[in-house]
């Protein structure tokens, strides 16, 4: 059996109407069914799965790199859900919420429950030919939808590929240009050539020291000869007057 997906008549009508009005067609959920135990052949006339067993918010929608008219829609059935076999899948959304926009058959896959001794997430990517991918809108409930490892890896790669993903920080090339800041060398130190000019030259320091040394009283906080003689005279006078009873 071959496996494929197609727009339902409802989905095709929504896309035609969106093309004419300039609106978008929202994809909200991916649905899973067990086909009532039998393989399913998708049909445009379907308005629901043969037997829906689970639905989950869509994780992501991206344009197929090999076919710009095709969309890759991804959803994840969490480990906690299961106990049934997936044989059919579909996309829910549209101008009126809850419509089956696309349907597809699926290789028979049993989704176990952890209580059965095995548990795993089931990541499903559904590829749908829509004609004009720009008409599609994704509606995600962040409280329910799960991010797959591949989705996270793609987001990190896209972030790292941006020329300046963190505009709030200085780039290495900007560090020396802004406010005269020096840039660090490979050893993590500032090169001598980038240090600010000296505050004073050797000649300036020698002249300042000479002026200090030659000052008459460069340190008034200390006792010098003149202050010592004055203190001695003052002390002698005080002792004389005290002895004379004056």
């Amino acid at each position: 059996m071959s496996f494929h997906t197609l727009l339902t008549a409802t989905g095709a009508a929504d896309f035609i109407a969106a093309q004419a009005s300039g609106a978008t067609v929202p994809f909200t959920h991916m649905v899973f069914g067990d086909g009532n135990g039998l393989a399913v052949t998708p049909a445009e006339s379907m308005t629901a799965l043969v037997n829906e067993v689970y639905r989950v918010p869509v994780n992501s929608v991206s344009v197929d790199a090999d076919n710009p008219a095709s969309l890759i829609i991804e959803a994840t059935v969490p480990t906690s859900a299961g106990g049934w076999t997936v044989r059919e899948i579909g996309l829910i959304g549209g101008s009126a919420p809850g419509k089956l926009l696309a349907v597809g058959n699926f290789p028979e896959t049993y989704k176990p429950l952890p209580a059965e001794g095995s548990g795993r997430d089931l990541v499903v990517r559904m590829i749908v030919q829509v004609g004009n991918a720009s008409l599609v809108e994704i509606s995600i409930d962040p409280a329910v939808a799960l991010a797959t490892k591949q989705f996270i890896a793609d987001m990190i790669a896209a972030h790292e590929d941006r020329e300046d993903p963190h505009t709030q920080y200085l780039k290495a090339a900007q560090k020396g240009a802004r406010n005269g800041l020096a840039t660090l060398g490979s050893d993590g130190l500032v090169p001598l050539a980038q240090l600010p000019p000296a505050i004073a030259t050797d000649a300036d320091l020698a002249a300042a020291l000479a002026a200090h040394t030659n000052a008459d009283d460069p340190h008034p906080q200390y006792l010098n000869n003149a202050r010592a003689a004055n203190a001695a005279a003052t002390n002698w006078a005080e002792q004389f007057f005290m002895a004379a009873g004056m």
Side-chain angles (χ1 to χ4, degrees):
M1 171 180 280
S2 63
F3 299 96
H4 63 284
T5 62
L6 51 83
L7 288 176
T8 62
T10 301
D14 265 21
F15 272 93
I16 292 173
Q19 182 77 53
S21 65
T24 56
V25 179
F27 286 162
T28 60
H29 292 77
M30 187 178 292
V31 289
F32 303 84
D34 64 2
N36 276 332
L38 300 173
V40 175
T41 301
E44 294 179 358
S45 60
M46 295 177 68
T47 58
L49 297 185
V50 173
N51 185 46
E52 181 182 331
V53 295
Y54 193 73
R55 67 172 55 194
V56 66
V58 170
N59 281 346
S60 66
V61 174
S62 59
V63 178
D64 189 342
D66 298 324
N67 185 357
S70 292
L71 290 176
I72 302 175
I73 301 94
E74 184 177 285
T76 304
V77 180
T79 302
S80 58
W84 24 258
T85 298
V86 179
R87 297 186 179 90
E88 53 181 338
I89 55 176
L91 287 174
I92 297 294
S95 55
K99 295 192 294 186
L100 185 66
L101 302 181
V103 66
N105 52 356
F106 195 79
E108 187 171 301
T109 303
Y110 183 69
K111 177 64 174 66
L113 285 169
E116 298 174 88
S118 177
R120 63 187 175 94
D121 290 347
L122 176 62
V123 179
V124 176
R125 295 181 180 91
M126 187 174 179
I127 301 176
V128 182
Q129 183 91 13
V130 296
N132 187 351
S134 65
L135 296 178
V136 174
E137 173 190 353
I138 180 173
S139 178
I140 295 178
D141 181 354
V144 179
L146 300 177
T148 64
K149 291 181 179 179
Q150 185 60 50
F151 177 78
I152 295 173
D154 291 342
M155 291 299 97
I156 292 175
H159 173 80
E160 292 178 342
D161 286 342
R162 290 172 57 191
E163 181 178 353
D164 190 7
H166 292 288
T167 54
Q168 71 271 38
Y169 301 131
L170 283 177
K171 293 192 292 187
Q174 297 173 322
K175 287 182 180 178
R178 185 175 297 181
N179 297 329
L181 296 177
T183 56
L184 298 180
S186 58
D187 57 358
L189 303 176
V190 178
L192 290 175
Q194 295 190 39
L195 291 175
I199 297 174
T201 64
D202 290 344
D204 293 332
L205 292 174
L209 182 61
H212 175 81
T213 303
N214 295 328
D216 291 337
D217 192 5
H219 293 291
Q221 71 272 37
Y222 299 134
L223 192 66
N224 58 14
N225 292 335
R227 277 191 287 275
N230 183 58
T234 300
N235 186 53
W236 177 88
E238 290 177 350
Q239 292 180 11
F240 172 80
F241 287 114
M242 288 176 64
M246 299 176 65

